[in-house]
Amino acid sequence: MKQLLLLFVVLFQLNVFAQNDEYSIYVKDIETLQPIENATVTVLKTKQVLMTNADGKITFVLSGGSNIQVSEMNYENLTVRWAALKESGFVVYLKNKKENLDEVVVSKENPQKMLQKVVSNSKQKISVAHRLKVYVREFFMLDNQYSYYNDGLVNFQFNKNNTTTLLVEQNRSYGLIDTDVSADLKGYDLNDIMENYSNFKYLDPLLDAKAKKEYDFTTKGHSKNKDYYIMSVVPLDKAKEAIDNFEIIYDPEKKIIIEFTISVTPATLDKVEEKTKEGEKNITKSFVKVNYRWDGTDYYLLSSNEEIGYNVVLKDKTKNVQVRNSFVTTGFNKQNFTYNESDVFKEKSLFNKKNKILTNYWDISGFTATEQEKAIIASLEFKL
């Protein structure tokens, strides 16, 4: 009897430890077997949301079992039962949707007026007070060499006036920054970026009536998802100021934006007159992609990726600066958090905050680094 009791205790303890293991999932295209980047993986028990990286991988820790829901706009949704996920490195295969709707013009209404309605409604839907837990990271390059890295797990409280309050749970910064470059980094204000996403400020140039003289607006059905439309907005050949290309994916029934991408092509940059005065900047790269999530009741930011590159004109040379910034929402909550005013992060970038590392939050906080990214971070850690 004692032996049976002892065996029961051992098995129980082993089961408890197993329930707190780290799990990893790879998401791939079932036909091409290629990894699917930016697929959304939701742990249904905890409502934790994760995004696959360029390798199609996510990593998470969970106490107890839970089914997993995997989705991506161009693929059919899939729910995987927990029993199949006991093996680390489990591969989930998604089936590509077969609709071909991109050649169909779907709206007779003036596209710019439709965009104005969609942006206005999206602002109203997202402005309800809520809290986001977000994994933030930033890579920095100087003259094509990785020189600096920071990331952190932070909480944004959205207030009724659509401003944000920011608390930092954990963060780390690695690398060396040239003194004459640090001023550029300090311009990346986390609160400003998040508020711009919730206000859809990046789309402001398209909402002005004068934009019709600078841009061409076209609307088509989404090639893989019949529920969405795609609006493409490109600068006209005669445009004097416009250089950005826009692609906006939206739900025409709910009138909310699902995703938008803004990019500058080399052909467009060739039209821009180069600046030559000392201290001026010439853009070499500009890319923004922002995703939003509608979960059936709530609408909020899901993820963002921004890349900016520019040459700074110096007295005797040109300095190239590149910054890659990412946000990934790992948790949504309608409850306000309580805090002391001294806990509020009032600086701009995590570059300005002393390292605070309590756990390996970067491995389980929504977005798993690729092997290449891990190598970059490790090399910068030794420069601290």
Side-chain angles (χ1 to χ4, degrees), residues 217-250:
F217 294 75
T218 58
T219 305
K220 297 180 180 180
H222 193 284
S223 62
K224 300 295 182 181
N225 195 319
K226 62 182 177 58
D227 296 324
Y228 298 145
Y229 291 170
I230 299 178
M231 184 178 293
S232 298
V233 188
V234 298
L236 296 169
D237 290 337
K238 62 181 180 179
K240 296 180 180 180
E241 301 293 335
I243 62 171
D244 292 320
N245 291 270
F246 296 79
E247 183 179 89
I248 301 143
I249 301 175
Y250 67 98

Side-chain angles (χ1 to χ4, degrees), residues 89-297:
F90 186 83
V91 180
V92 174
Y93 296 98
L94 296 187
K95 185 177 180 181
N96 204 311
K97 292 182 178 178
K98 297 299 183 182
E99 290 92 344
N100 290 294
L101 308 173
D102 56 333
E103 296 302 322
V104 181
V105 177
V106 296
S107 177
K108 294 182 179 179
E109 185 176 5
N110 180 292
Q112 189 193 36
K113 290 184 178 179
M114 173 58 72
L115 180 60
Q116 291 169 343
K117 292 180 181 178
V118 170
V119 171
S120 176
N121 189 63
S122 296
K123 287 181 180 179
Q124 292 177 13
K125 291 289 186 182
I126 209 169
S127 63
V128 177
H130 63 275
R131 181 175 86 231
L132 295 183
K133 178 172 286 191
V134 178
Y135 174 62
V136 179
R137 70 175 186 174
E138 185 174 55
F139 289 91
F140 176 76
M141 296 181 71
L142 174 61
D143 292 332
N144 296 315
Q145 295 292 322
Y146 282 99
S147 304
Y148 186 78
Y149 174 84
N150 70 49
D151 68 13
L153 190 60
V154 304
N155 289 280
F156 288 94
Q157 175 64 54
F158 285 77
N159 308 309
K160 290 184 178 180
N161 58 358
N162 221 14
T163 60
T164 56
T165 301
L166 174 60
L167 301 183
V168 179
E169 286 189 15
Q170 302 185 60
N171 68 286
R172 59 177 178 167
S173 298
Y174 296 132
L176 297 176
I177 291 295
D178 194 287
T179 54
D180 62 349
V181 178
S182 60
D184 295 316
L185 266 186
K186 291 178 181 177
Y188 291 85
D189 189 308
L190 294 177
N191 277 308
D192 279 353
I193 293 175
M194 182 59 82
E195 289 170 13
N196 288 341
Y197 292 155
S198 61
N199 288 319
F200 298 87
K201 193 172 181 63
Y202 286 75
L203 302 181
D204 281 356
L206 306 181
L207 305 181
D208 191 284
K210 297 179 182 179
K212 290 185 292 185
K213 298 180 180 180
E214 295 284 308
Y215 293 98
D216 178 43
F217 294 75
T218 58
T219 305
K220 297 180 180 180
H222 193 284
S223 62
K224 300 295 182 181
N225 195 319
K226 62 182 177 58
D227 296 324
Y228 298 145
Y229 291 170
I230 299 178
M231 184 178 293
S232 298
V233 188
V234 298
L236 296 169
D237 290 337
K238 62 181 180 179
K240 296 180 180 180
E241 301 293 335
I243 62 171
D244 292 320
N245 291 270
F246 296 79
E247 183 179 89
I248 301 143
I249 301 175
Y250 67 98
D251 185 321
E253 295 295 325
K254 298 182 179 66
K255 289 185 170 54
I256 55 174
I257 292 174
I258 303 300
E259 173 185 304
F260 70 80
T261 304
I262 307 173
S263 60
V264 177
T265 65
T268 306
L269 286 176
D270 287 342
K271 299 178 182 179
V272 180
E273 184 177 350
E274 187 173 357
K275 300 174 184 177
T276 58
K277 293 183 179 180
E278 186 175 350
E280 291 187 317
K281 301 175 183 178
N282 291 296
I283 298 294
T284 59
K285 177 195 298 184
S286 180
F287 176 83
V288 179
K289 184 175 183 179
V290 184
N291 293 273
Y292 299 87
R293 186 166 193 254
W294 171 260
D295 65 4
T297 56

